Amino acid sequence: MLKIENLHAEIDGKEILKGLDLEIRPGEIHAIMGPNGAGKSTLGYVLGGRDGYEVTQGSVEFEGRNLLDMEPHERAAAGVFLGFQYPVEIPGISNVQFLREALNAQRKARGEEPLSGGEFLKRARAQADALGMEQDMLKRPVNVGFSGGEKKRNEMVQMGIIDPKFAILDETDSGLDIDALKTVGEGINRIMRKPDKAVLLITHYQRLLEYVEPDAVHVLAAGRIVRSGGPELAVELEREGYQAVAA
Ligand code: ADP
Ligand code: MG
Ligand code: MG
């Protein structure tokens, strides 16, 4: 589904990714762990197509297409979903408005009919219910005044409504209490644990991986994958620290 080869990327002339290789097949969940400043978020942004990140070498294929040639909205329409480490607040636009626009823009790009207001609301309510989110939050301005945990739940509601093929989740577990962590983990499994979908889960901690069992764990350090393994690698990292494991 996703094939990254020798990826080099820089921001403001500073090279952050320095020859990264990664292959993810349909049905797989891969976790990326690593110290602060390793380039984890940079990888997410490069895959999402964020402005300011320049790829200087290497390639990224998504379902056989050159992902790097596609605009961010084309990537989204192709089924790529990028969850943010720091979710943006959008005053004046309600959650439902925002999500309906986003979903219908993607449906249009795929040549599908837009969802009616009623159909959309049904879908949004079902996702909010599944994630234990108050229905009221659907009407509130996007992320404004949401707590850390509410933002992350909201991100999962967004993901459930968009129903992407491939999700990149950057520190979806940061700032979550134990109950929210479990809810978010179950959300990821429910929405994305399917034979034709895949997830790249960027996380600092092993805790989330107790709920979302990864097929592979990679350590990203100084812009490259320095070690790969199974779920046991995350446990080892937690116990020994990055320095011992990545050295
Ligand atoms: P991680 O998510 O692994 O903690 P990031 O991808 O956020 O790491 O950052 C990787 C490196 O890129 C860090 O050293 C960070 O300081 C640097 N970086 C991020 N944004 C910029 C920028 N706008 N200009 C220069 N360096 C940046
Ligand atoms: Mg960081
Ligand atoms: Mg980061």
Side-chain angles (χ1 to χ4, degrees):
M1 179 172 267
L2 185 81
K3 190 172 187 185
I4 304 177
E5 280 181 324
N6 189 35
L7 185 65
H8 289 250
E10 53 182 54
I11 178 156
D12 289 337
K14 182 182 168 200
E15 187 169 64
I16 311 291
L17 299 182
K18 303 172 181 173
L20 190 142
D21 297 290
L22 183 65
E23 197 169 345
I24 304 182
R25 280 173 283 270
E28 292 181 345
I29 295 182
H30 287 228
I32 298 239
M33 303 179 79
N36 279 320
K40 301 182 300 296
S41 293
T42 300
L43 174 62
Y45 290 139
V46 167
L47 296 177
R50 191 187 216 195
D51 266 354
Y53 292 81
E54 198 193 341
V55 172
T56 52
Q57 265 190 76
S59 62
V60 181
E61 270 182 28
F62 177 69
E63 297 194 311
R65 296 167 71 186
N66 179 354
L67 190 76
L68 301 176
D69 257 1
M70 296 157 73
E71 295 295 327
H73 70 271
E74 294 172 325
R75 300 181 195 202
V80 177
F81 176 89
L82 179 60
F84 295 100
Q85 182 172 0
Y86 304 106
V88 281
E89 301 186 1
I90 317 179
I93 301 199
S94 77
N95 240 338
V96 271
Q97 272 175 301
F98 174 75
L99 285 169
R100 194 171 158 213
E101 292 280 323
L103 180 65
N104 281 337
Q106 291 182 20
R107 290 175 70 94
K108 192 173 171 194
R110 289 196 294 261
E112 298 165 10
E113 290 293 312
L115 282 191
S116 72
E119 278 172 287
F120 176 78
L121 214 54
K122 217 192 281 173
R123 224 194 245 209
R125 289 197 174 124
Q127 290 300 328
D129 268 349
L131 282 146
M133 192 173 100
E134 300 275 345
Q135 297 288 340
D136 269 6
M137 296 194 66
L138 289 172
K139 290 185 222 143
R140 282 171 52 184
V142 182
N143 286 322
V144 177
F146 288 18
S147 73
E150 286 169 345
K151 283 181 182 170
K152 296 299 174 180
R153 256 177 229 253
N154 196 42
E155 189 176 291
M156 291 298 105
V157 170
Q158 292 179 1
M159 187 167 81
I161 289 170
I162 300 277
D163 197 25
K165 274 189 212 161
F166 176 58
I168 305 149
L169 301 173
D170 191 357
E171 296 193 26
T172 291
D173 48 351
S174 70
L176 295 187
D177 62 30
I178 307 287
D179 294 341
L181 190 69
K182 184 160 183 273
T183 308
V184 164
E186 286 168 356
I188 296 171
N189 288 327
R190 179 179 53 83
I191 300 162
M192 298 303 295
R193 202 22 124 182
K194 308 216 166 131
D196 55 342
K197 295 187 171 201
V199 178
L200 183 61
L201 197 60
I202 298 171
T203 176
H204 268 303
Y205 303 106
Q206 191 255 334
R207 279 183 325 175
L208 181 64
L209 304 182
E210 288 173 7
Y211 299 106
V212 184
E213 196 179 352
D215 299 284
V217 174
H218 309 278
V219 182
L220 176 54
R224 312 178 56 151
I225 304 282
V226 295
R227 245 188 99 178
S228 298
E232 72 288 345
L233 179 54
V235 179
E236 188 187 335
L237 285 167
E238 191 95 344
R239 198 177 54 229
E240 322 243 334
Y242 291 121
Q243 265 189 323
V245 173

